[in-house]
């Protein structure tokens, strides 16, 4: 289908006039058909007439010879018209020449075969048929008048003995003249009337068909515009459930074009088709789809039976949308709500625990002074665990009551270099290969908080990596954003745990607090950024942070201060 309609279609008025190109094509077809049929029919008819004349008059028959010349002349005319058609000569003129040739041929044939006694009296009405077929209704009446006038003139001349046809021994009698004029005139004009009527009906039917076709094309154009403009994916199948159409939005959502989707089963994308019948549609459902580029998308869809006007099922119609971003927004909102609630609880709990913990810690210190041997070892364990609880309470407070960020232009590339240099001295980074790919990136961020974010991500990567594993940090600008990513080659995160890793206190480590990644998430969101996770079990994990890029002037000031 073509694009949006223009002109009359765009204004809601379907075009009614038959295009000139179509009229010319129809006239060309008629000329070709009549030219070919004349060569065959005239040759057969005149050959038969010549045979009868030879049987009647012998080999020396002049009329038979004249008929042979007439056959040759008509066939030469048809060949000339065929050549002019091929050369692109004006069709209306060729049609007029053809009709004139038919007129001359009919009168010559009747004259040579006895005029009023001719066996070929039927050819005169055929001139009107030829004129109507090639020149329309008016052409039918004009050629009928010309044919009857020419025939009447020959009969009158024969009646007066001025021009007696071969085969007649005397002038045509008056009664014969009147009879022939009445018979031929009736035949010719009745034929012309019938041809004109049929031509009028055919023209009217053609105009109606053209109008209906124009309306249909307009509807197709409108349908195509709707399908191309909608942001929802639209997909159809045949009765066997094989895909036969998908609109551009659907191609973009699925990451596949129609050429790669055609013929594939609908069940490969939407598994609910088995529940769709001729009278029911599937409820709104969701499914996961992995594009050829490896990106996972959440698709919301419903399936409807595709029926013909008789109610018979032609296939299935699927309308679907990409809900991935919506799901991510819902998850972020839900996570923020959980963080706020847990933060409030953590703050209250931390305040309640901190003072008793300080008293317990001091009391144990005093008791340890008088202890020795095995008791001292036990006191050491108590103090170590008390210290761990105190550290956990401190993390609670830091998480529950974070310092408001102070966004300033920060050169993230330099921050990455400094943090990697410090982290390389950490015992947990001893057996890791720390790498970086840094281009440029000055973001609006809090330098201290972003340093802590990067440290937590590096620590998380180190704990997930095998000895000798690689951890790579990348930083680059993308439009008005600065993208920072930390990727490892560790064990990866199972799919059922990925939605929980930013939840407070969720951890898979024996000594972890479960607050590192939630703190990262909170800091990034407070800076107007976003964080995404990509992980494959057994291959590794990549955290990608996107922050607003600082303006050029702010970036120059930050670089100058550095």
């Amino acid at each position: 289908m073509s694009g949006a309609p223009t002109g009359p279609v765009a204004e809601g008025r379907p075009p009614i006039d038959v295009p000139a190109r179509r009229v010319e094509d129809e006239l060309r077809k008629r000329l070709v058909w009549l030219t070919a049929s004349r060569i065959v029919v005239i040759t057969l008819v005149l050959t038969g007439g010549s045979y009868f004349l030879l049987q009647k008059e012998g080999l020396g028959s002049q009329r038979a010879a004249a008929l042979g010349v007439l056959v040759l002349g008509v066939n030469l005319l048809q060949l000339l018209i065929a050549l002019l058609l091929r050369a692109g000569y004006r069709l209306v003129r060729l049609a007029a020449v053809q009709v004139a040739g038919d007129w001359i041929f009919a009168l010559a044939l009747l004259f040579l075969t006895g005029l009023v006694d001719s066996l070929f009296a039927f050819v005169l009405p055929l001139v009107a048929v030829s004129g109507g077929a090639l020149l329309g209704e008016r052409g039918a009446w004009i050629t009928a008048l010309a044919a009857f006038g020419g025939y009447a003139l020959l009969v009158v001349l024969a009646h007066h003995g001025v021009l007696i046809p071969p085969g007649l021994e005397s002038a045509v009698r008056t009664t014969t003249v009147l009879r022939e004029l009445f018979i031929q005139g009736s035949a010719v004009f009745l034929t012309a009337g019938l041809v004109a009527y049929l031509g009028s009906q055919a023209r009217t039917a053609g105009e109606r068909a053209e109008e209906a076709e124009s309306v249909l094309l307009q509807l197709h154009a409108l349908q195509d515009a709707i399908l191309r403009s909608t942001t929802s994916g639209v997909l159809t199948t045949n009765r066997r459930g094989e895909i036969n159409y998908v609109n551009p939005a659907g191609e973009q959502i699925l990451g596949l074009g129609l050429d790669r989707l055609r013929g594939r089963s609908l069940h490969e994308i939407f598994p609910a088709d088995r529940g769709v019948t001729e009278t029911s549609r599937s409820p709104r459902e969701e499914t996961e789809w992995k594009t050829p580029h490896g990106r996972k998308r959440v698709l919301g869809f419903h399936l409807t039976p595709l029926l013909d006007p008789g109610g018979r099922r032609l296939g299935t119609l699927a309308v679907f949308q990409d809900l991935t971003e919506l799901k991510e927004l819902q998850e972020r909102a839900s996570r923020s709500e959980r963080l706020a609630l847990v933060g409030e609880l953590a703050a209250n709990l931390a305040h309640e625990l901190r003072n008793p913990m300080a008293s317990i810690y001091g009391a144990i210190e005093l008791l340890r002074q008088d202890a020795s041997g095995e008791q001292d070892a036990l006191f050491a364990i108590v103090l170590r665990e008390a210290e761990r609880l105190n550290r956990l309470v401190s993390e609670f407070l830091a998480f529950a009551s974070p310092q408001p960020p102070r966004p300033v232009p920060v050169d993230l590339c330099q921050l990455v270099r400094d943090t990697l240099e410090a982290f390389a001295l950490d015992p947990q980074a001893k057996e890791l290969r720390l790498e970086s790919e840094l281009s440029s990136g000055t973001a609006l961020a809090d330098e201290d908080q972003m340093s802590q974010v990067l440290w937590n991500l590096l620590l998380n990567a180190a704990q997930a990596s095998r000895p000798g594993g690689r951890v790579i940090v990348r930083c680059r600008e993308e439009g008005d954003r600065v993208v920072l990513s930390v990727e490892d080659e560790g064990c990866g995160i199972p799919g059922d745990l990925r939605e929980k890793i930013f939840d407070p206190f969720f951890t898979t480590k024996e000594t972890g607090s479960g607050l590192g990644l939630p703190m990262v998430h909170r800091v990034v969101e407070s800076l107007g950024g976003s964080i995404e996770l990509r992980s494959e079990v057994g291959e590794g994990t990549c955290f990608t942070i996107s922050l607003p890029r600082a303006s050029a002037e702010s970036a120059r000031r930050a670089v100058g201060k550095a």
Side-chain angles (χ1 to χ4, degrees):
M1 293 180 286
S2 62
T6 58
V9 175
E11 299 172 1
R13 300 190 300 272
I16 299 177
D17 295 336
V18 179
R21 172 67 65 182
R22 179 163 296 186
V23 175
E24 290 185 1
D25 291 342
E26 185 66 25
L27 182 57
R28 183 182 301 276
K29 291 179 182 178
R30 292 179 183 178
L31 272 172
V32 172
W33 183 83
L34 289 175
T35 299
S37 62
R38 278 186 181 85
I39 295 176
V40 177
V41 174
I42 291 176
T43 300
L44 292 176
V45 170
L46 294 189
T47 300
S50 299
Y51 175 78
F52 287 119
L53 289 175
L54 289 174
Q55 290 290 327
K56 181 178 179 180
E57 301 178 4
L59 295 176
S61 174
Q62 293 182 353
R63 288 196 294 171
L67 287 180
V69 173
L70 185 60
V71 171
L72 180 61
V74 171
N75 287 339
L76 287 176
L77 177 62
Q78 304 310 310
L79 291 176
L80 176 62
I81 290 176
L83 291 175
L84 292 175
L85 267 175
R86 189 178 183 85
Y89 197 73
R90 290 188 61 182
L91 297 179
V92 176
R93 291 185 180 180
L94 288 180
V97 171
Q98 184 70 277
V99 173
D102 292 341
W103 180 75
I104 294 172
F105 165 74
L107 294 179
L109 177 61
L110 291 173
F111 182 80
L112 290 175
T113 55
L115 199 58
V116 296
D117 294 335
S118 175
L119 296 174
F120 302 102
F122 62 85
V123 301
L124 200 61
L126 295 180
V127 177
V129 175
S130 174
L134 295 177
L135 300 178
E137 300 167 36
R138 183 179 298 178
W141 289 111
I142 292 174
T143 52
L145 183 61
F148 178 73
Y151 180 76
L153 178 62
L154 291 178
V155 171
V156 170
L157 292 176
H159 171 66
H160 291 287
V162 177
L163 186 63
I164 299 177
L168 289 182
E169 298 178 355
S170 60
V172 180
R173 292 181 297 176
T174 302
T175 55
T176 303
V177 170
L178 295 176
R179 185 189 73 238
E180 289 299 319
L181 290 180
F182 174 77
I183 293 174
Q184 288 291 358
S186 300
V188 169
F189 287 111
L190 285 175
T191 301
L194 179 62
V195 169
Y197 173 75
L198 294 178
S200 174
Q201 294 296 313
R203 187 184 71 254
T204 302
E207 290 177 354
R208 291 176 179 173
E210 182 67 26
E211 181 178 355
E213 182 180 357
S214 176
V215 172
L216 184 61
L217 289 175
Q218 179 186 3
L219 291 176
H220 283 175
L222 178 61
Q223 171 190 331
D224 182 67
I226 292 173
L227 291 175
R228 288 182 178 277
S229 301
T230 182
T231 56
S232 297
V234 178
L235 181 150
T236 62
T237 72
N238 56 23
R239 288 189 180 93
R240 297 186 298 274
E242 298 170 343
I243 297 172
N244 54 23
Y245 173 79
V246 61
N247 70 334
E251 292 179 338
Q252 184 175 4
I253 292 173
L254 298 176
L256 292 172
L258 180 58
D259 54 339
R260 297 181 61 183
L261 287 170
R262 192 189 304 275
R264 294 178 62 173
S265 173
L266 182 65
H267 302 151
E268 297 181 26
I269 307 174
F270 307 115
D273 180 52
R274 303 183 189 277
V276 178
T277 66
E278 283 76 2
T279 58
S280 67
R281 55 183 289 180
S282 72
R284 179 74 175 181
E285 298 189 39
E286 295 180 3
T287 186
E288 285 192 357
W289 170 257
K290 190 173 184 179
T291 68
H293 302 293
R295 182 178 179 183
K296 291 184 178 179
R297 288 177 172 170
V298 179
L299 305 182
F301 69 95
H302 67 261
L303 307 178
T304 305
L306 199 60
L307 307 178
D308 65 9
R312 294 181 296 272
R313 185 171 180 179
L314 299 176
T316 301
L317 170 68
V319 180
F320 55 98
Q321 298 83 28
D322 184 1
L323 304 181
T324 307
E325 292 186 2
L326 177 61
K327 289 294 182 182
E328 291 176 353
L329 289 174
Q330 290 176 344
E331 179 60 27
R332 289 176 186 173
S334 176
R335 187 181 301 123
S336 297
E337 291 178 3
R338 294 197 301 270
L339 288 175
L341 178 61
V342 172
E344 184 179 352
L345 293 174
N348 295 331
L349 179 63
H351 283 296
E352 293 297 329
L353 290 178
R354 197 162 198 179
N355 291 333
M357 284 301 304
S359 299
I360 293 172
Y361 191 86
I364 295 298
E365 283 282 4
L366 291 174
L367 292 173
R368 189 181 181 186
Q369 294 177 2
D370 298 329
S372 61
E374 185 177 340
Q375 290 182 343
D376 184 68
L378 292 175
F379 281 126
I381 295 174
V382 174
L383 288 173
R384 186 178 68 247
E385 294 303 314
E387 179 65 29
R388 190 173 71 84
L389 288 174
N390 187 57
R391 186 173 63 253
L392 181 60
V393 169
S394 299
E395 290 180 0
F396 285 172
L397 288 174
F399 175 76
S401 303
Q403 295 295 322
R406 299 186 299 275
V408 295
V410 176
D411 185 352
L412 289 187
C413 292
Q414 186 59 44
L415 184 143
V416 169
R417 296 187 189 96
D418 296 341
T419 306
L420 283 178
E421 183 178 353
F423 187 76
L425 303 176
D426 191 284
Q428 298 194 65
K430 184 178 180 181
E431 298 182 358
L432 291 179
R433 289 183 295 140
L434 298 176
E435 300 178 8
S436 62
E437 293 179 4
L438 310 175
S439 56
S440 62
T442 301
L444 283 175
D446 186 304
E447 186 170 2
D448 293 336
Q449 291 184 354
M450 281 306 301
S451 178
Q452 185 62 44
V453 164
L454 182 57
W455 187 278
N456 283 351
L457 292 179
L458 289 172
L459 186 61
N460 192 75
Q463 293 172 348
S465 297
R466 295 178 290 270
R470 184 180 68 157
V471 175
I472 182 168
V473 183
R474 299 181 178 89
C475 184
R476 65 187 183 280
E477 290 184 355
E478 290 186 359
D480 61 348
R481 311 291 288 182
V482 178
V483 178
L484 175 67
S485 65
V486 178
E487 183 176 0
D488 63 63
E489 299 176 345
C491 57
I493 302 173
D496 58 336
L497 301 182
R498 291 173 196 163
E499 296 182 356
K500 304 177 182 179
I501 60 172
F502 293 114
D503 291 347
F505 313 118
F506 176 79
T507 180
T508 58
K509 306 179 183 69
E510 294 182 0
T511 60
S513 65
L515 292 174
L517 290 178
M519 186 276 292
V520 168
H521 183 271
R522 169 168 284 183
V523 169
V524 171
E525 282 204 335
S526 68
L527 293 171
S530 62
I531 181 169
E532 294 181 358
L533 165 68
R534 188 182 74 252
S535 182
E536 294 292 337
V537 176
E539 296 183 8
T541 301
C542 179
F543 287 93
T544 302
I545 295 173
S546 175
L547 294 172
R549 185 168 64 90
S551 63
E553 182 179 353
S554 300
R556 283 195 297 270
R557 288 201 303 265
V559 172
K561 292 179 182 179

